[in-house]
Amino acid sequence: MFLGRIRRTPSGPVELVARRAPGELVSLADLGSDPVAALDSYGLDRLAELVAGRDGPTLDEGAVVFEPPVATCTKICCLALNYQEHADESGLEVPPEPVLFFKPPSALVGHGHPVIAPARTRHLEHEVELAVVIGKVTRDLPAERWREAVAGYTVINDMTARDLQLANIARNVPWDQSKGFDTFAPAGPYLATVDEVPDPQALELTLEVDGEVRQRANTRQMVFGLPRLIADLSDGMTLMPGDIVATGTIAGIAPLKDGDTMRATVEGIGTLVNTVKFRSA
């Protein structure tokens, strides 16, 4: 089941929808606007029955405004250097332990919305990633039970102001700001429930810019897989429903220019489309 959050008009209320078929959405407005809460309230099987029983008119997904696929998010947990080839292209070694940084929830933006680079940066880069959405309060979860924490999966594009990041690295100071600007965490279009993704460690990742494929790899190439990541993150830190774990990008990062359209795809989950806009200095 693919659950999304949409507005029928840009300023209208947010409502929950399910994708009935590619291009078609069925309204679940009476179930609220939070996919994770709906899964928790009804359970996957019952929610699937409710979706299947909807006989009303479907919506054209091209005629609605998508919001991020989580209604609440306390943190976006991001993993650095979790693919060997990406570490190689960055001139860095793969770390012996997972390396974590955070993006604020205010960085989230939905499918179809622009990514707006602030005037202070002139070097913006894309980073397609598989994102895990947490479904319940989780702390100190053993690796073998990692699936208990998961509500589903989505696509995230870890936008980076590379010039600011490299300048801060050279100064030996934190570089979180280069990752955390508004719109720098586009995610969506949908939350794909766990039944849609039987093996999240066997998914093709691609990112295209105006039809040019720049990034392509498979989640099986992660250095640290999902069991290790969720166990490590929840070791002493509470993960909350709606929190997002961005599992690291693959090789092929490259600069973007004003007006570029990015298509970030995770096999079986969806394609996230956003256009880049640079503000004038």
Side-chain angles (χ1 to χ4, degrees):
M1 184 167 37
F2 296 88
L3 300 172
R5 301 175 63 248
I6 62 101
R7 297 178 189 266
R8 300 196 192 205
T9 63
S11 60
V14 179
E15 66 181 84
L16 179 63
V17 292
R19 192 181 75 181
R20 174 165 285 168
E24 293 185 349
L25 306 174
V26 57
S27 176
L28 305 175
D30 55 322
L31 302 185
S33 61
D34 184 343
V36 176
L39 283 165
D40 183 58
S41 296
Y42 294 94
L44 180 57
D45 292 342
R46 178 57 182 153
L47 189 56
E49 290 176 358
L50 292 172
V51 171
R54 298 281 162 145
D55 295 324
T58 56
L59 306 174
D60 178 358
E61 67 177 18
V64 300
V65 178
F66 280 85
E67 295 298 318
V70 293
T72 58
C73 177
T74 69
K75 51 192 169 293
I76 306 168
C77 306
C78 304
L79 279 300
L81 303 175
N82 200 27
Y83 288 83
Q84 179 69 58
E85 290 185 356
H86 173 56
D88 292 344
E89 72 175 351
S90 302
L92 300 168
E93 294 184 0
V94 169
E97 303 285 337
V99 173
L100 171 68
F101 63 93
F102 294 97
K103 284 179 180 267
S106 56
L108 282 169
V109 69
H111 167 71
H113 293 259
V115 169
I116 302 174
R120 68 178 69 192
T121 181
R122 310 316 298 170
H123 186 161
L124 188 64
E125 294 190 355
H126 51 75
E127 298 189 10
V128 62
E129 305 189 16
L130 169 67
V132 179
V133 177
I134 300 301
K136 70 173 189 177
V137 176
T138 299
R139 181 173 170 176
D140 300 326
L141 189 68
E144 65 272 14
R145 293 172 49 197
W146 69 274
R147 292 181 186 273
E148 296 177 18
V150 179
Y153 306 90
T154 192
V155 185
I156 195 165
N157 191 348
D158 174 17
M159 303 302 300
T160 305
R162 195 71 67 194
D163 49 355
L164 304 184
Q165 183 190 41
L166 294 177
N168 284 335
I169 289 173
R171 293 169 53 213
N172 198 31
V173 298
W175 40 263
D176 301 65
Q177 186 183 45
S178 68
K179 299 273 193 175
F181 294 110
D182 289 356
T183 76
F184 270 37
Y190 302 102
L191 171 69
T193 52
V194 294
D195 57 311
E196 299 286 352
V197 190
D199 186 359
Q201 300 284 185
L203 303 175
E204 290 291 316
L205 303 170
T206 60
L207 186 133
E208 299 178 8
V209 176
D210 292 338
E212 173 196 359
V213 177
R214 292 191 177 182
Q215 293 184 276
R216 174 173 284 151
N218 194 287
T219 56
R220 72 171 62 94
Q221 297 168 263
M222 285 184 191
V223 176
F224 303 107
L226 300 189
R228 172 67 185 277
L229 293 179
I230 291 177
D232 188 81
L233 289 171
S234 70
D235 181 7
M237 181 175 70
T238 301
L239 303 177
M240 299 297 293
D243 284 356
I244 293 174
V245 179
T247 58
T249 199
I250 58 180
I253 57 173
L256 294 154
K257 63 181 185 299
D258 188 66
D260 279 348
T261 296
M262 304 171 290
R263 295 178 60 87
T265 301
V266 179
E267 178 188 5
I269 295 176
T271 297
L272 170 68
V273 182
N274 303 91
T275 299
V276 175
K277 293 186 178 180
F278 278 88
R279 286 181 175 160
S280 299

